[in-house]
Amino acid sequence: MHRLRRLDEKGFSFLTSIFDVMVLMTLLPLIVLFFSFAIQFKQDVDPHRAEWQLFVIDLQSYLHRSDTIEVINGGSGIRVVQRVEEFDIELYTNMMRKQKSQKGHEVMLTRVSQCSFSLDGNKVKIRIKFTTGNIEEAEYVFTKPSG
């Protein structure tokens, strides 16, 4: 009768290790790609980025068709006059607020640590530093209404 010999695993652990390293080297670039897509996705759905974009659009709507624009509060705010209505958009504590005729208090942007407006001819520039350290800038060109 033939006896079955058990095969030992000498040498197979080295081959298994090489195979494991090859699989790992194949998957590592995929892991890096996954994390880079995850970071990009997180930036795209960041609520504070969306809040900034809404603020920029809202500010543009006030600057559009304005009669006069002036920088107030040493550059931390702007006054926009449209016909008989006057709007102040300014830094207040840690937020940007809007006031109509220097009354009321409507929050436009939160978590703001510094803000500066500058007026150069028919250009308005805004630079905002958030409490997170991020800095956002926007520039608008406005024209005087005709008639």
Side-chain angles (χ1 to χ4, degrees):
M1 208 181 254
H2 295 279
R3 286 186 98 193
L4 294 173
R5 281 181 53 192
R6 288 186 86 192
L7 297 175
D8 57 5
E9 293 185 7
K10 291 181 182 174
F12 283 104
S13 62
F14 178 69
L15 290 176
T16 305
S17 298
I18 289 177
F19 179 73
D20 289 344
V21 167
M22 286 176 44
V23 169
L24 181 67
M25 296 303 288
T26 304
L27 293 179
L28 277 179
L30 296 175
I31 292 171
V32 170
L33 282 174
F34 170 76
F35 280 111
S36 67
F37 285 132
I39 289 170
Q40 182 64 35
F41 179 74
K42 183 181 179 231
Q43 289 174 348
D44 288 343
V45 297
D46 182 20
H48 301 294
R49 181 77 179 143
E51 184 183 17
W52 165 252
Q53 291 171 344
L54 289 172
F55 172 75
V56 167
I57 293 168
D58 199 18
L59 183 59
Q60 182 179 9
S61 70
Y62 285 100
L63 295 176
H64 181 68
R65 310 262 308 152
S66 61
D67 295 328
T68 61
I69 298 173
E70 66 178 288
V71 176
I72 59 172
N73 300 337
S76 67
I78 192 167
R79 179 168 292 142
V80 179
V81 178
Q82 297 175 341
R83 301 182 193 236
V84 295
E85 295 180 328
E86 182 179 284
F87 297 97
D88 290 349
I89 299 170
E90 60 189 345
L91 179 65
Y92 178 74
T93 62
N94 64 344
M95 67 185 78
M96 294 299 295
R97 74 172 179 183
K98 177 182 68 174
Q99 291 183 307
K100 183 177 178 182
S101 302
Q102 297 182 352
K103 296 178 185 166
H105 176 89
E106 182 181 331
V107 176
M108 295 180 74
L109 186 64
T110 59
R111 292 203 234 181
V112 177
S113 64
Q114 294 176 349
C115 173
S116 67
F117 286 92
S118 63
L119 190 58
D120 182 26
N122 64 341
K123 291 182 184 178
V124 175
K125 294 179 185 178
I126 180 172
R127 185 173 196 267
I128 290 184
K129 182 177 181 184
F130 291 94
T131 55
T132 59
N134 294 342
I135 296 175
E136 294 285 351
E137 295 179 343
E139 185 174 314
Y140 302 93
V141 175
F142 64 93
T143 57
K144 304 269 186 213
S146 59

